[in-house]
Amino acid sequence: MQKVNYGNWVPEKMLVLYWIISVLFGVLFTAGCVFAWKFPVVLFTGILFFLMLASALYMQLCHHIFSFTGGKLMAKVHDYLLEKMEWDGSGTLIDIGCGSGAVTIKCAKKYPAARITGIDYWGKTWNYAKEQCERNAEAEGVKDRISFIKGDAAVLPFPVGTFDAAVSNFVFHEVMSQSDKRLVVREALRVVKKGGRFAFHDLFEHKELYGDMHEFVEELRTEGYTEIAYEPHTEKLAVIPDVVKAPWMLSGLGLLYGRK
């Protein structure tokens, strides 16, 4: 039986790197103690070793918390995202920045009458690939209702109003081809039909990326969006443990959702 592999928000390569660096500093610190190196050198390598060891342990803990087989936080966040969309599942849906296909496949299982499209650039930064998405969809028994395509979230290869619903989770800030992240959001909204549903989760509270989100929401309202809501600081959700709310992990999150 084929196993699913949805990856992790703490990539395996990053985790391995943390442990390798920790071991290297540990070896240096041990060598300094054994061979009686000068005290400042031993102290310096010792501090680096314990800092890297603490970092590696922290990242290992976060990896477990996020994991679909561990703390299952990624799955819980995805569930919350789809709850906010309030879609009836009739028609077509696009998952923008589908990664390993986790949200795409969850949509296919939640909305059995829908046709789903997952799009991603699948760059080298993350350990995700189109083939991985297709294997996961096959393992979950929904491959026949999902299409995975390669594309840029800043320039989606679809006409205006193609989809009945759109979702995206922690993707827009990663789009390197467009520095104005509000334009990435607008591009996602462009492909949603009038009256269609959408739910986007990202680092919306980072003003250097999005400016004032409440101001942005008002702009969209004046442009005719029938329903639009913004939930700031979703890292405060009860399902998210305090240990992963560090500035370099989950902070400044927000959820934009509604009907076009």
Side-chain angles (χ1 to χ4, degrees), residues 3 29 33 49 106 108-109 172 179 181 198 210:
K3 291 180 65 176
F29 176 59
C33 293
F49 166 57
K106 185 179 286 285
K109 295 173 77 172
F172 297 154
S179 58
K181 303 310 176 189
F198 59 89
Y210 292 100

Side-chain angles (χ1 to χ4, degrees), residues 220-240:
L220 293 173
R221 284 200 180 106
T222 61
E223 291 169 15
Y225 284 76
T226 55
E227 297 174 29
I228 188 164
Y230 175 62
E231 183 177 344
H233 292 293
T234 48
E235 72 270 15
K236 295 180 180 180
L237 292 172
V239 298
I240 300 180

Side-chain angles (χ1 to χ4, degrees), residues 24-168:
L24 289 175
F25 279 123
V27 169
L28 288 173
F29 176 59
T30 303
C33 293
V34 171
F35 297 108
W37 292 354
K38 290 182 179 180
F39 177 73
V41 176
V42 175
L43 178 62
F44 181 67
T45 55
I47 290 172
L48 289 177
F49 166 57
F50 285 109
L51 284 175
M52 284 307 306
L53 179 61
S55 298
L57 289 169
Y58 173 75
M59 297 304 287
Q60 188 73 58
L61 175 61
C62 290
H63 185 275
H64 172 75
I65 291 171
F66 292 145
S67 171
F68 283 88
T69 56
K72 301 181 180 179
L73 180 55
M74 291 171 68
K76 293 173 184 176
V77 171
H78 296 164
D79 287 338
Y80 190 77
L81 172 70
L82 297 188
E83 285 173 13
K84 288 294 183 178
M85 190 167 60
E86 297 183 352
W87 187 46
D88 65 5
S90 300
T92 58
L93 176 146
I94 183 171
D95 176 18
I96 302 168
C98 61
S100 64
V103 174
T104 323
I105 292 166
K106 185 179 286 285
C107 287
K109 295 173 77 172
K110 182 178 177 70
Y111 309 116
R115 296 290 306 182
I116 316 292
T117 298
I119 186 169
D120 201 288
Y121 192 73
W122 290 299
K124 295 180 180 179
T125 305
W126 298 93
N127 297 324
Y128 301 143
K130 179 181 179 181
E131 295 75 19
Q132 177 186 8
C133 293
E134 291 171 343
R135 287 194 299 270
N136 287 337
E138 184 174 10
E140 295 278 20
V142 293
K143 187 177 180 180
D144 60 327
R145 292 189 293 109
I146 300 179
S147 298
F148 291 105
I149 64 172
K150 184 178 177 67
D152 185 349
V155 189
L156 295 170
F158 305 104
V160 173
T162 299
F163 298 94
D164 296 288
V167 295
S168 184

Side-chain angles (χ1 to χ4, degrees), residues 84 86 197-200 204 213-214 216-218 220-221 225-232 254-260:
K84 288 294 183 178
E86 297 183 352
R197 291 284 184 177
F198 59 89
F200 305 141
F204 288 131
M213 279 299 293
H214 297 286
F216 185 39
V217 168
E218 286 306 313
L220 293 173
R221 284 200 180 106
Y225 284 76
T226 55
E227 297 174 29
I228 188 164
Y230 175 62
E231 183 177 344
L255 210 163
L256 184 70
Y257 61 97
R259 184 194 297 271
K260 188 173 179 180

